Amino acid sequence: MLIIRSVCELKKELSNLKGEIGFVPTMGALHNGHISLIEKSKTQNDYTVVSVFVNPTQFLPNEDFDKYPKNESNDIKICKNLEVDILFMPDKNEIYLENEPKILAPKNLANILEGAVRPGHFDGVCMILNKFFNLIKPKRAYFGKKDAQQIAVVENLVKTFFMNIEIIPCEIIREADGLALSSRNSYLDEEQKLYALKLSRSLLKAQNLINQGQVDTQMIKSEMKTILEPLKIDYIAFTNKNFQEISKIEINNTIILVAAVVGTTRLIDNIWI
Ligand code: AMP
């Protein structure tokens, strides 16, 4: 496995590759969620490139950019074990120039849910992925459904700029107790982890109600709220796969999304119905 930190060296190595590239962008502190994306890429492509880059432009000024979990040696070990071909770990000065054109996420996605709570976040996501996609030119790129809205933003980016990249959504990987894996879970102590379980439990409750025939989203939402108490809820939302709000569950075309704060840690989770 090549560990590459400079854009120049990456370009040189990529020019030697003959075949399809699968790309897995991450912010590091790798866990089984990331691993599932890498494994999928390995099965579908000739080469797999993984990036570990804590992208400053997708963090708001008051967010956790400075303390975002880092574990470089473990990330390297994991990628080596998975036989990743190239692990790209650039410094931010390699990636961003002082003056450069900005890309903005589309308003219909950028102003709702995660975008409403974290204004500018998806602009940063678009900026970094535009750069990485141009640089790496993957055939396929792998994203977790955990960040459901991000997938819609990325699909829009690829379509808008006529990029020949297939976006592959991957299932959410959870702990045995249901907690969706996240690098930010490392901020939680044991007691907070129990509170964090309320997110997946509320979604499970929603799934059970739907299995029993309930289609009214307001009714499901109020049951979810009861489970989520006393957490600070950022949103509970019911959308179709185009991220338009719905009032009745549509089987095979509904995403239920929840965002809540445990202590000082903001967590998100969702299920696709
Ligand atoms: P991150 O390092 O948090 O930016 O995540 C990098 C990629 O891994 C994104 O596409 C995430 O959606 C995905 N990911 C994060 N957590 C999970 C999980 N629990 N299951 C599946 N994919 C995940």
Side-chain angles (χ1 to χ4, degrees):
M1 181 180 82
L2 293 172
I3 300 170
I4 296 182
R5 294 179 192 273
S6 87
V7 167
C8 182
E9 196 192 340
L10 180 63
K11 279 185 176 171
K12 195 171 125 246
E13 292 301 337
L14 288 169
S15 70
N16 296 328
L17 303 185
K18 303 272 171 285
E20 293 178 352
I21 296 174
F23 175 44
V24 183
T26 82
M27 298 208 296
L30 301 183
H31 52 64
N32 284 340
H34 302 112
I35 289 174
S36 73
L37 271 51
I38 297 171
E39 283 174 338
K40 192 150 193 187
S41 171
K42 290 284 300 177
T43 66
Q44 297 183 327
N45 301 280
D46 300 306
Y47 303 99
T48 291
V49 176
V50 175
S51 64
V52 167
F53 180 64
V54 183
N55 173 33
T57 61
Q58 71 187 69
F59 287 79
L60 273 67
N62 61 337
E63 290 185 339
D64 56 345
F65 174 70
D66 288 329
K67 64 166 189 155
Y68 193 81
K70 291 184 188 58
N71 196 342
E72 205 180 280
S73 58
N74 197 48
D75 293 347
I76 293 173
K77 202 165 102 194
I78 287 173
C79 288
K80 262 193 189 148
N81 284 343
L82 293 169
E83 300 183 350
V84 165
D85 298 283
I86 294 177
L87 175 56
F88 183 46
M89 308 178 100
D91 184 79
K92 72 174 190 299
N93 300 326
E94 277 292 310
I95 299 299
Y96 287 107
L97 305 174
E98 212 161 282
N99 292 304
E100 52 175 73
K102 298 267 179 290
I103 296 183
L104 302 180
K107 282 201 182 116
N108 65 321
L109 289 166
N111 293 347
I112 59 167
L113 306 172
E114 282 306 282
V117 183
R118 307 180 68 191
H121 166 70
F122 286 122
D123 300 339
V125 169
C126 286
M127 276 198 281
I128 189 61
L129 289 176
N130 184 48
K131 283 170 181 279
F132 281 168
F133 286 169
N134 274 302
L135 180 62
I136 295 164
K137 299 187 178 64
K139 172 81 180 160
R140 299 178 188 85
Y142 295 80
F143 292 88
K145 286 184 175 179
K146 164 122 188 315
D147 299 282
Q149 200 177 347
Q150 173 169 268
I151 295 179
V153 169
V154 178
E155 280 171 346
N156 176 288
L157 178 79
V158 165
K159 193 171 165 204
T160 305
F161 292 106
F162 310 115
M163 296 168 172
N164 282 325
I165 303 174
E166 201 183 326
I167 302 304
I168 314 280
C170 301
E171 293 308 319
I172 300 176
I173 305 297
R174 299 176 179 281
E175 305 272 12
D177 57 15
L179 180 65
L181 295 189
S182 162
S183 304
R184 288 191 168 98
N185 289 353
S186 67
Y187 296 147
L188 305 171
D189 63 27
E190 286 311 308
E191 194 190 350
Q192 287 173 330
K193 273 202 176 139
L194 295 177
Y195 279 100
L197 274 177
K198 287 176 172 285
L199 278 82
S200 56
R201 295 226 166 111
S202 72
L203 292 168
L204 192 62
K205 176 74 184 178
Q207 175 77 75
N208 287 338
L209 290 168
I210 293 164
N211 291 348
Q212 289 160 24
Q214 183 58 254
V215 293
D216 178 15
T217 58
Q218 283 311 319
M219 190 271 163
I220 298 170
K221 190 175 187 170
S222 83
E223 293 277 332
M224 290 175 70
K225 264 190 183 154
T226 311
I227 293 180
L228 286 162
E229 264 168 25
L231 302 185
K232 176 185 169 291
I233 301 170
D234 273 350
Y235 57 78
I236 299 170
F238 296 76
T239 73
N240 62 22
K241 287 186 182 161
N242 295 323
F243 280 86
Q244 291 152 333
E245 208 175 318
I246 53 170
S247 58
K248 295 257 175 295
I249 299 292
E250 301 164 21
I251 302 296
N252 291 326
N253 189 30
T254 296
I255 311 174
I256 309 178
L257 306 107
V258 56
V261 182
V262 178
T264 54
T265 306
R266 194 172 171 277
L267 299 172
I268 58 171
D269 200 350
N270 65 73
I271 46 167
W272 301 46
I273 304 290

